[in-house]
Every structure is written in structure tokens, then in C-alpha cells.
Amino acid sequence: MLEELKLSNLRGRGGAGFTTGLKWEACAQAASTPRYVVCNADEGEPGTFKDACCSPRTPTWCSTA
């Protein structure tokens, strides 16, 4: 899955546009445990509440989508 993600060149929507595949790879290669993935599900645009109701009920949605 990681290789497919890297090949897709999916990028975050932050200012740096860093590739998601490289972020996930760095997390997978981290020496320490436990490992955590932090998902910023901020509803920053006015009138966008599409994820606010989903993320507390299904916390695994960002890694299984």
C-alpha cells in the first residue's frame, strides 16, 4: 500500500504540499513505538462540516479510506 501511495504522488493540502507517501514512510520507519498518525480534520472553510460528524464516531476512517 505504501508503494502505491508514493507512486500516486498524493500531496497534503498544507502550504508545503509534502507528499503523503513520504510522510507515511517516515512514520513506518520510525524506531520508537508506539507510533501515532495525527490527522488534522479541520473544517477550515465556512460551511464545511462534512467530516466533523464522522471522525469521532469512526476514528480509523482516515487510514482506511
Side-chain angles (χ1 to χ4, degrees), residues 5-27:
L5 186 59
K6 287 169 52 179
L7 288 172
S8 75
N9 203 28
L10 178 69
R11 295 179 177 270
R13 296 188 65 197
F18 201 77
T19 60
T20 304
L22 289 178
K23 287 181 184 180
W24 283 31
E25 183 176 53
C27 185

Side-chain angles (χ1 to χ4, degrees), residues 2-61:
L2 184 56
E3 287 304 314
E4 289 293 321
L5 186 59
K6 287 169 52 179
L7 288 172
S8 75
N9 203 28
L10 178 69
R11 295 179 177 270
R13 296 188 65 197
F18 201 77
T19 60
T20 304
L22 289 178
K23 287 181 184 180
W24 283 31
E25 183 176 53
C27 185
Q29 293 175 351
S32 63
T33 56
R35 297 179 183 123
Y36 299 95
V37 175
V38 177
C39 176
N40 181 357
D42 179 40
E43 305 288 358
E45 297 179 22
T48 57
F49 301 104
K50 62 182 179 55
D51 297 329
C53 65
C54 299
S55 52
R57 294 186 189 123
T58 53
T60 59
W61 71 273

